């Protein structure tokens, strides 16, 4: 198709007519600034085709002129035919189409156009994008180059036809798609779309089936349980019956009774045994007594002999003791005499020694008396001396402190005198011999010095009187002070009773001496009479008394032969002591023997009596009778004991053969068994009652009938599930088959279009490929990555606006190629397309467009004339096209 | 002269799980109704005693109301009934029978023989020897004691037992609960009334299975009857009359379909059925779509008419003809798919392929009809 000319009158922006008289077969570039009317021009072409001339479209009027009659006239060629179209809207509406020399008018003309170009008219009002078909795809409106899916789908019918014609195959029309959609819908009623899991009624049936299985399992369990309990009941009843028949309980009771009897018997025997034991013990005691009696008889007989022997022995002993007694008496008498004699000797010796000792004591006392007398004399002298010294001390007593104070006063006076001498007027005189002078009261002669302290009168005999007044200041005061002190000293001395200080000092020294004497005397005194003179006098008196006593004793004592030697008293005493001991020993022996003799005599007497008693007893007549009786009795008891012993042994044997513990255990075991059996019986009875109760209530629930009903429903649900499953499988199979077939067909149909696409894509992106969906809409771009190492896929929607715009144009050109090859009219319009492309991409797009222009007529509207300068075509500025300017 | 009505295997409480709920409840009700018919029959024929040879109940734990319904249904005959337990309702320590007695559901004219003891009915000069099952399964002959059981002179000796006569029936029934085949002679019985086998069966002139009075399975075994037994005198040979008591007829049918006339024959047979028929129908063969369509219509009609129609269709194949395809306008790849599925019907997943094919054909048919109506 080739547009030849276009005339637009009173159309929207253009109140003035616009005329394009020539279109190039390839690219036609229309330029102009914004608002210049580029889009209006593109719109005019669109309107001429898409809008019905009868439609009410006031928006077509120029703004300034509501009475206008917008008109579009255009001429084009297609397949060697010449087309002329004139359409007027709103006023004097017309549509005229001439094809070569054939003319069409009104709706007929519009029908022709629709068929030729491949679009639809809207039923009423302005046309809709959905009706635009092929031109809607190829005529890109401003800013919509990137929109591809919708325009393609609106043109799909015609494109599909074209492709089918090219491939020579039928896709069973649109029917197959609705078939698939219907099958999908049916499948969706059974299975989820994505995962293909059961849903809806199918799912419900499955769930119901499972729930029923669960319930069935539970019921089965309940039934099994029920049956098990029925069996348990039967077993218990059988057991009960069996035991009743066998009388097991009675048997055990009888056994128990027997065991108890055995135990009682055992206990009786035990008692018997112990009574036997008791009897034996009693007999034993009696036998022992009898034996003792019998022994007594024997012993008496034996005693007779021993008594005789004892009597003889005691007689012998008695004789012996008596003989010894006589001897001992003799010895004792002799020792006593000897002792008495020596005692007299000793007494005499003692008297002699006593006299001698008393004489010596007297001498000693007299000596002591003399010494004491001397001491007393001396002590009396010393006491007198002490008295005397004390008297003298009292006479000389002087206050030592006062003397010390006087010495201090005297020292002060001396100091004053020294000051006076220093301050005094010195008078040196050297008188001629025997010349004298009177100085005061003093008489001066010879040579000498004196000092004048006071006003002194010097009388020079013969000459007169010189009154000398010492000139030194204070002398007078000194003199006064000296006089005062001297006065004080004098008074003190007077008080003390001394004439001078020197005398006082002497008296003090005398006193000190006296003190020493006194101390000495006192020490001597205490030596001589430590307890005083009175004590000495008493001592003396005592001594005198002792002496007198001794003298008296001596006068009364035996006469002493002072020449005779003194006896050895100690040896005598010693000897006396030995003699005494000897005597006492002898005496003691004698006494002892006396006692022994007495005892021997008593013993002998007793033995003799004992023997006589025994002899009397032995010779008694009843004794023999008694012995016979005892012997008899003993034998009888012995016999009885043997019998008891035998019985005891028998009993013991019998008891040992069946031990008590075993018998007791028997009783315990059997009574326990009886208890247990009774317990079991009770438990069984209880169990039976309980089971019967439970079973009767459970039986009423009709488990098996319920189960049968559930099983029926389960079977039905399974049937239902299997029907659903079969249907689902069938649908699945059908859909798989149909869809895979369609997919293969689509690929086959798309092949020519893909070829065209690849041609342009090769120019834009080297090695890229574009995937189309079933509706022929491009969806996926695959190209090499920036690094070139791998290929990357992009959803078309995810690409940048510029890239989408470029791909939008490329796809449209490919569709156009396809259409062209099928003899379909192709006119391509780009209204301000590709404005978002960078220079490099735009360059490639220009190559694309240039290439396309070799097959199609292209109308490019742009406000960027510079961008399109290298397209190799002349630009036509819109403003130059407006007539009348 | 002694007149007996011999029946067995009522199997009350049996459910028919493979059927729809409404069908199943009707079939269950029919078993209760059969008791009523037996009672009426007994009444009409002046029967002296009705013998029920075990399996009165299908299970031990049936609902109380089921127990009541059974005994209520027996009201129409006020004469003597004698029942023994079978393997389904054995007289266990706790059983449906002990419950029935507890519930006070058992009327006075109904004797339950729960222990192997003679039941002497002097008025009838009849000594009944029952062999009740007291365990779920026994492997000893419970009728053995009949041989040594005393009975008054001039009394009829009638045995009542439930089990399988050894060496007579095939192995398909319970081989437990055996009964010696010569029991009648060894125990000098005038008649031995047996239960367990669901069809009427004569073991010898004095020994019969009465079968169940209401059929309950497709397997054909001559069920749905009771036996009217007449004895002129003790030791006389009994005369046995088979009486129909069944309400539903159970059919198990197979048809091979290849051509139109085959379908004609099937349709004819289906037309003969009514709401007393319970049918299990299996079909095989290969049909084109048109014929399949016709078959479906006929089967749908029959479903509405008979009590129950269960179908086995998995051996049926669909082979769309050229005409079918032309009619369906299944061109392009849809046509290819139809071809594939047609061939796959014989393969491993043949059923799925056939279902898919029918589904697709239905859809296309619908579309065609819609287009035609537009």
């Amino acid at each position: 198709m080739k547009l030849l000319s276009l005339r637009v009158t009173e159309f929207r922006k253009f109140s003035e007519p616009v005329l394009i008289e020539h279109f190039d077969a390839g690219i036609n570039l229309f330029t102009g600034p914004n608002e210049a009317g580029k889009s209006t021009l593109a719109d005019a072409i669109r309107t001429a085709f898409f809008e019905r001339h009868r439609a009410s479209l006031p928006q077509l009027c120029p703004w300034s002129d509501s009475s206008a009659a917008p008109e579009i006239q255009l001429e084009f060629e297609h397949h060697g035919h010449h087309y002329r179209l004139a359409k007027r809207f709103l006023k004097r509406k017309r549509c005229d189409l001439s094809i070569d020399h054939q003319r069409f008018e009104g709706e007929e003309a519009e029908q022709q156009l629709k068929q030729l170009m491949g679009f639809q008219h809207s039923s009423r009002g302005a046309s809709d994008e959905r009706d635009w078909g092929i031109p809607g795809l190829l005529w890109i409106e401003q800013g919509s180059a990137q929109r591809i899916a919708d325009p393609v789908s609106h043109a799909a019918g015609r494109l599909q036809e074209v492709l089918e014609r090219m491939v020579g195959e039928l896709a069973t029309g649109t029917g197959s798609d609705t078939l698939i959609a219907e099958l999908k819908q049916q499948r969706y009623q059974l299975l989820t779309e994505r995962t293909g899991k059961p849903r809806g009624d199918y799912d419900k049936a499955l769930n119901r089936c499972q729930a029923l299985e669960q319930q069935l399992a539970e019921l089965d369990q309940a039934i099994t349980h029920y049956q098990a309990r029925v069996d348990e009941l039967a077993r218990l009843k059988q057991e009960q019956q069996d035991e009743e028949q066998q009388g097991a309980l009675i048997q055990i009771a009888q056994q128990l009774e027997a065991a108890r009897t055995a135990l009682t018997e055992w206990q009786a025997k035990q008692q018997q045994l112990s009574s036997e034991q008791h009897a034996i013990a009693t007999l034993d005691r009696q036998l022992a007594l009898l034996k003792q009696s019998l022994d007594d008889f024997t012993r008496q007989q034996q005693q007779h002999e021993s008594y005789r022997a004892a009597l003889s022995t005691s007689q012998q002993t008695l004789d012996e003791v008596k003989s010894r007694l006589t001897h001992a008496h003799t010895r004792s008498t002799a020792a006593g005499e000897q002792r008495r004699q020596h005692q007299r000797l000793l007494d005499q010796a003692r008297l002699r020694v006593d006299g001698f000792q008393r004489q010596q004591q007297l001498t000693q006392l007299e000596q002591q008396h003399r010494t004491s007398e001397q001491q007393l004399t001396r002590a009396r002298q010393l006491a007198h001396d002490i008295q005397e010294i004390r008297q003298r001390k009292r006479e000389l007593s002087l206050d030592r402190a006062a003397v010390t104070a006087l010495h201090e006063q005297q020292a002060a006076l001396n100091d004053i005198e020294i000051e006076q001498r220093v301050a005094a007027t010195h008078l040196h005189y050297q008188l001629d011999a025997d010349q004298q002078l009177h100085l005061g009261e003093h008489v001066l002669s010879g040579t000498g010095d004196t000092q004048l302290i006071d006003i002194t009168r010097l009388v020079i005999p013969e000459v007169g009187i010189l009154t000398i007044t010492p000139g030194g200041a204070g002398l007078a005061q000194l003199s006064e002070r000296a006089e005062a002190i001297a006065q004080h000293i004098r008074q003190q001395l007077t008080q003390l009773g001394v004439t001078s200080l020197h005398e006082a000092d002497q008296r003090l020294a005398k006193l000190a001496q006296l003190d020493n004497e006194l101390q000495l005397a006192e020490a001597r005194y205490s030596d001589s009479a430590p307890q005083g003179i009175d004590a000495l006098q008493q001592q003396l008196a005592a001594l005198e008394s002792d002496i007198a006593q001794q003298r008296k004793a001596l006068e009364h004592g035996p006469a002493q032969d002072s020449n005779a030697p003194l006896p050895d008293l100690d040896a005598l005493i010693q000897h006396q002591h030995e003699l005494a001991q000897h005597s006492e020993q002898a005496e003691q022996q004698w006494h002892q023997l006396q006692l022994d003799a007495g005892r021997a005599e008593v013993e002998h007497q007793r033995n003799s009596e004992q023997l006589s008693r025994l002899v009397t007893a032995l010779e008694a007549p009843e004794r023999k009778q008694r012995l016979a009786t005892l012997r008899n009795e003993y034998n009888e008891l012995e016999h009885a004991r043997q019998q008891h012993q035998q019985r005891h042994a028998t009993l013991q044997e019998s008891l040992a053969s069946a031990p008590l513990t075993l018998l007791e255990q028997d009783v315990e075991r059997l009574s326990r068994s009886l208890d247990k059996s009774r317990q079991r019986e009770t438990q069984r009875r209880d169990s039976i009652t309980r089971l019967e109760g439970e079973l009767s209530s459970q039986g009423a629930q009709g488990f098996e009938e319920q189960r049968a009903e559930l099983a029926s429903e389960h079977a039905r649900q399974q049937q239902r599930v299997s029907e659903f499953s079969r249907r689902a499988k069938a649908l699945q199979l059908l859909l798989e088959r149909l869809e895979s077939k369609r997919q293969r067909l689509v690929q086959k149909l798309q092949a020519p279009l893909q070829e065209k696409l690849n041609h342009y894509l090769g120019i834009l992106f080297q090695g890229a490929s574009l995937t189309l969906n079933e509706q022929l809409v491009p969806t996926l771009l695959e190209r090499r990555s920036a690094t070139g190492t791998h290929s990357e896929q992009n959803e078309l929607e995810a690409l940048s606006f510029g890239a989408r715009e470029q791909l939008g144009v490329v796809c449209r050109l490919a569709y156009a190629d396809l259409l062209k090859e099928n003899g379909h009219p192709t006119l391509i319009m780009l209204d301000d397309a590709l404005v978002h492309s960078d220079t490099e991409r735009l360059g490639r797009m220009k190559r694309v467009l240039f290439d396309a222009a070799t097959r199609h007529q292209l109308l490019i509207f742009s406000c960027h004339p510079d961008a399109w300068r290298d397209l190799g075509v002349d630009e036509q500025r819109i403003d130059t096209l407006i007539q009348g300017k | 002269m002694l007149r007996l009505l011999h029946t067995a295997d009522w199997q009350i409480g049996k459910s028919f799980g493979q059927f729809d709920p409404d069908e199943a409840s009707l079939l269950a009700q029919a078993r209760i109704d059969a008791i009523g018919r037996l009672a009426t029959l007994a009444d009409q024929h002046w029967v002296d005693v009705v013998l029920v040879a075990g399996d009165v109940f299908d299970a031990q734990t049936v609902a109380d109301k089921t127990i009541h319904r059974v005994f209520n249904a027996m009201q129409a005959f006020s004469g003597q009934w004698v029942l023994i337990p079978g393997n389904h309702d054995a007289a266990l320590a706790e059983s449906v029978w002990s419950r029935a007695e507890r519930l006070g559901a058992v009327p006075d004219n109904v004797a339950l023989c729960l222990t192997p003891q003679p039941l002497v009915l002097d008025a009838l000069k009849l000594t009944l020897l029952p062999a009740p099952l007291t365990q779920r399964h026994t492997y000893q002959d419970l009728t053995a004691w009949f041989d040594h059981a005393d009975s008054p002179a001039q009394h009829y000796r009638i045995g009542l037992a439930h089990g399988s006569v050894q060496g007579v029936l095939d192995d398909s029934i319970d081989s437990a609960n055996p009964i010696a085949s010569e029991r009648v002679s060894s125990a000098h019985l005038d008649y031995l009334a047996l239960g367990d086998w669901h069809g009427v069966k004569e073991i010898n002139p004095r020994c019969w299975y009465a079968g169940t009075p209401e059929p309950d399975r497709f397997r054909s075994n001559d069920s749905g009857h009771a036996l009217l037994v007449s004895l002129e005198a003790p030791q006389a040979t009994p005369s046995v009359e088979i009486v129909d008591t069944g309400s539903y007829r159970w059919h198990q049918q197979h048809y091979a379909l290849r051509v139109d006339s085959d379908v004609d024959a099937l349709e004819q047979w289906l037309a003969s059925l009514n709401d007393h028929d319970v049918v299990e129908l299996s079909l095989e063969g290969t049909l084109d779509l048109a014929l399949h369509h016709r078959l479906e219509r006929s089967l749908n009609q029959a479903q509405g008419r008979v009590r129950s129609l269960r179908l086995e269709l998995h051996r049926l194949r669909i082979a769309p003809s050229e005409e079918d395809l032309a009619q369906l306008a299944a061109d392009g790849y849809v046509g290819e798919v139809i071809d594939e599925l047609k061939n796959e019907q014989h393969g491993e997943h043949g059923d799925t392929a056939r279902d898919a094919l029918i589904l697709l054909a239905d859809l296309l048919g619908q579309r065609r009809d819609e287009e035609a109506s537009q």
Side-chain angles (χ1 to χ4, degrees), chain B residues 31-352:
Chain B
R31 308 197 72 72
I32 298 277
D33 293 346
I35 302 173
R37 284 196 294 280
L38 287 167
T40 310
L41 202 64
D43 195 45
Q44 285 169 353
H45 286 83
W46 297 87
V47 161
D48 294 311
V49 59
V50 182
L51 303 178
V52 190
D55 280 0
V56 172
F57 293 97
D58 190 55
Q60 295 283 8
T61 51
V62 294
D64 286 353
K65 68 172 184 198
T66 307
I67 296 175
H68 282 298
R69 286 175 74 193
V70 167
F71 289 104
N72 287 343
M74 292 155 76
Q75 273 173 355
F77 178 64
S78 56
Q80 184 69 53
W81 296 74
V82 179
L83 277 57
I84 61 162
N87 54 319
H88 280 266
D89 51 5
L92 306 177
E94 166 71 16
S95 69
V96 66
W97 303 108
S98 51
R99 278 176 53 223
E101 283 173 339
R102 260 204 313 277
L103 289 170
V106 188
D108 292 341
N109 62 329
V110 178
L112 304 181
C113 294
L114 305 183
T115 52
Q117 282 169 332
L119 177 69
V120 181
L121 300 170
D122 282 324
L124 297 173
K125 289 194 170 180
L126 168 60
T127 297
L128 263 172
L129 304 177
L133 267 78
T134 52
Q135 288 171 312
R136 293 186 190 90
H137 298 290
T138 50
Y139 294 93
Q140 68 203 55
D141 187 346
L142 296 176
T143 61
W145 73 279
F146 292 177
D147 292 1
H148 313 291
D150 288 334
S151 58
Q154 297 308 307
H155 263 221
Y156 293 99
R157 275 171 76 87
I158 307 289
L160 189 56
H162 185 92
S164 49
V165 175
Q166 287 179 307
V168 176
L169 298 171
D170 61 11
D171 291 338
S172 61
I173 68 159
D174 295 343
S175 58
N177 316 321
I179 295 168
S181 55
E182 69 282 7
R183 183 65 62 209
V184 170
S185 55
S186 66
H188 308 290
L189 298 176
D190 292 313
Y191 183 74
L192 176 54
L194 293 176
D196 199 18
W197 179 248
H198 279 213
V200 170
K201 183 139 187 113
E202 180 186 359
I203 303 301
N204 61 51
R206 291 182 187 276
C207 181
W208 288 70
Y209 280 103
T212 181
E214 178 63 42
D216 61 348
R217 56 186 73 167
F218 286 113
R219 205 165 52 217
S220 178
N221 60 7
D222 200 10
S223 60
H225 309 286
L227 301 176
L228 269 171
V229 183
S230 307
L231 285 149
E232 287 300 329
Q235 290 156 39
T237 308
S239 88
V240 177
E241 185 192 345
I242 301 171
V243 193
D244 285 346
T245 52
S247 161
Y248 288 106
R249 296 179 291 273
W250 291 55
H251 308 273
Q252 201 169 31
Q253 277 290 346
H254 177 80
Y255 277 87
L257 305 175
R258 278 168 201 87
V259 290
D260 287 16
S261 57
D262 290 339
V263 179
D264 290 345
L266 174 59
E267 281 175 341
Q268 218 167 354
W269 180 70
L270 285 174
S272 73
L273 303 176
N274 61 29
D275 63 357
H276 278 273
D277 291 298
V278 178
V279 182
E280 188 176 65
L281 179 60
S282 69
L283 298 177
E284 70 169 314
T286 307
L287 302 176
D288 63 19
L289 284 173
L291 210 51
H292 183 257
H293 196 61
R294 181 179 149 201
L295 175 67
E296 274 191 327
R297 214 169 37 222
S298 297
L299 290 174
N300 280 337
Q301 283 171 1
Q303 291 273 19
R305 206 165 51 245
V306 302
R307 175 53 54 228
S308 171
L309 176 56
R310 295 167 52 75
L311 294 169
E312 279 290 342
L313 300 178
H314 69 269
R315 284 194 288 172
L316 210 55
R317 306 272 177 268
I318 309 296
S321 62
E322 293 302 320
E323 286 169 35
D324 288 336
L325 294 176
Q327 280 222 319
L328 292 176
D331 47 7
Y333 62 80
V334 178
E336 288 175 29
V337 170
I338 288 175
D339 266 353
E340 281 177 16
L341 293 175
K342 197 168 80 179
N343 294 329
E344 283 173 23
Q345 284 184 100
H346 304 283
E348 194 185 346
H349 301 293
D351 282 354
T352 310

Side-chain angles (χ1 to χ4, degrees), chain A residues 239-441:
Chain A
E239 209 175 88
Q240 191 177 41
Q241 201 183 343
D242 290 352
E243 288 204 4
E244 269 168 23
Q245 279 176 1
Q246 290 163 6
L249 208 59
I250 295 163
Q251 273 178 20
I252 294 173
Q254 283 168 349
Q255 281 177 358
L256 177 63
E257 199 46 50
R260 282 200 175 127
T261 311
L263 182 63
T264 316
E265 277 169 9
W266 195 93
Q267 281 164 341
K269 274 184 191 167
Q270 177 69 37
Q271 214 161 2
Q272 220 175 330
L273 180 73
S274 80
S275 78
E276 288 295 337
Q277 263 172 342
H278 185 71
I280 290 167
T282 312
L283 284 173
D284 279 347
R285 265 200 307 281
Q286 288 174 0
L287 282 168
L289 285 173
L290 283 175
K291 180 103 168 49
Q292 213 173 352
S293 302
L294 287 170
D295 285 351
D296 282 348
F297 279 92
T298 317
R299 214 167 24 247
Q300 272 181 340
Q301 200 64 45
Q302 286 166 348
Q303 269 177 350
H304 186 241
E305 294 309 315
S306 75
Y307 282 4
R308 259 183 217 284
L311 190 62
S312 137
T313 310
S314 64
Q315 182 65 54
Q316 210 173 334
T317 310
L318 184 62
D319 293 348
E320 202 178 327
V321 167
K322 276 180 176 165
S323 128
R324 276 168 63 195
L325 182 67
T326 316
H327 183 65
H329 184 246
T330 317
R331 252 187 11 187
S332 172
T333 314
E337 187 55 33
Q338 205 175 358
R339 183 184 166 193
R340 275 189 298 278
Q341 284 174 2
H342 192 268
Q343 185 65 44
R344 277 192 296 277
L345 206 64
L346 179 64
D347 289 348
Q348 284 169 3
R350 266 199 184 122
L351 283 173
R352 173 94 170 86
V353 169
D354 276 358
F356 179 70
Q357 279 176 342
R358 205 161 265 145
Q359 190 65 47
Q360 275 186 328
Q361 273 176 3
L362 183 63
T363 315
Q364 204 175 345
L365 283 170
E366 280 166 350
Q367 182 65 33
Q368 276 179 359
H369 187 255
R370 275 191 300 277
T371 311
S372 292
E373 263 179 342
Q374 282 167 2
Q375 269 181 331
L376 184 62
T377 315
R378 200 168 147 222
R380 277 175 182 151
Q381 181 61 44
L382 282 168
H384 181 256
D385 289 352
I386 288 164
Q387 235 15 75
E388 224 170 303
I389 290 166
R390 280 186 184 148
Q391 180 61 36
R392 279 175 62 196
K393 257 185 86 181
R394 270 192 301 275
E395 285 165 5
L396 289 173
S397 74
L398 191 65
D399 187 353
R400 189 173 291 269
V403 175
T404 308
L406 276 179
H407 272 292
E408 279 167 11
Q409 293 276 329
Q410 187 61 49
L413 188 63
N414 289 347
D415 286 347
I416 290 169
E417 278 173 9
I418 289 165
E419 277 179 64
Q420 279 177 331
R421 262 197 304 274
V422 171
T425 302
H426 291 266
L427 178 70
H428 185 75
Y429 58 86
Q430 198 166 7
L431 302 176
D432 294 336
D434 50 322
Q435 298 293 327
Q436 281 186 326
L437 290 174
H438 292 270
L439 184 64
E441 286 121 45

Side-chain angles (χ1 to χ4, degrees), chain A residues 172 175-176 179-180 182-183 186 226-227 230-231 233-234 695-696 699-700 702-705 708 712 715-716 726 729-731 733-734 737-738 741-742 745, chain B residues 15-17 19-21 59-64 66 92-94 99 102 136 331-334 336-337 340-341 344 352-356 359-360 363 367:
Chain A
T172 63
S176 62
L179 193 66
I180 287 172
E182 172 69 16
L183 285 169
Q186 286 191 9
Y226 176 86
Q227 286 176 348
V230 170
D231 292 346
L233 180 63
L695 288 173
S696 80
F703 284 145
E704 282 165 296
E705 206 170 354
S712 302
R716 285 195 298 277
R726 276 179 65 174
K729 274 189 202 160
L731 284 166
L733 180 66
L734 262 183
R737 292 295 162 83
L738 288 172
K741 292 259 180 220
R742 187 175 63 176
L745 185 61
Chain B
S15 76
F16 296 89
F19 296 91
D20 287 344
Q60 295 283 8
T61 51
V62 294
D64 286 353
T66 307
L92 306 177
E94 166 71 16
R99 278 176 53 223
R102 260 204 313 277
R136 293 186 190 90
D331 47 7
Y333 62 80
V334 178
E336 288 175 29
V337 170
E340 281 177 16
L341 293 175
E344 283 173 23
T352 310
R354 184 173 64 90
D355 289 345
L359 231 154
L360 184 57
L363 260 180
R367 202 175 61 175

Side-chain angles (χ1 to χ4, degrees), chain A residues 737-769:
Chain A
R737 292 295 162 83
L738 288 172
E739 283 185 323
S740 84
K741 292 259 180 220
R742 187 175 63 176
Q743 183 60 33
R744 236 172 300 157
L745 185 61
V746 164
Q747 281 171 0
K748 203 166 162 187
L749 287 173
Q750 282 182 352
L753 180 58
Q754 200 75 48
E755 192 187 320
K756 311 288 179 210
L757 260 176
N758 290 347
H759 169 70
Y760 291 115
L761 273 175
I763 301 171
L764 188 60
F765 306 115
Q766 193 112 43
S769 70

Side-chain angles (χ1 to χ4, degrees), chain A residues 444-514:
Chain A
L444 299 181
S445 64
T447 305
D449 289 292
T450 191
Q451 288 167 331
L452 304 178
I453 296 163
D454 301 311
I455 299 167
T456 313
R457 278 159 53 120
L458 190 56
V459 180
I460 306 168
E462 307 189 354
V463 175
I465 298 170
L466 289 172
T467 304
I468 305 164
T469 306
L475 268 179
Q477 283 157 340
L478 283 173
S479 291
E480 280 169 30
R481 270 172 58 198
E483 188 51 37
I485 292 168
Q487 182 63 31
H488 184 255
I489 290 170
R490 274 190 303 277
Q491 277 175 2
Q492 283 292 320
L493 287 174
T494 313
Q495 262 178 18
L496 287 171
V498 286
T499 54
S500 69
L501 195 55
H502 179 68
E503 193 189 336
D505 285 340
Q506 275 181 333
R507 261 172 75 174
L508 281 176
K510 188 65 181 172
L511 273 170
Q513 194 190 334
L514 281 174

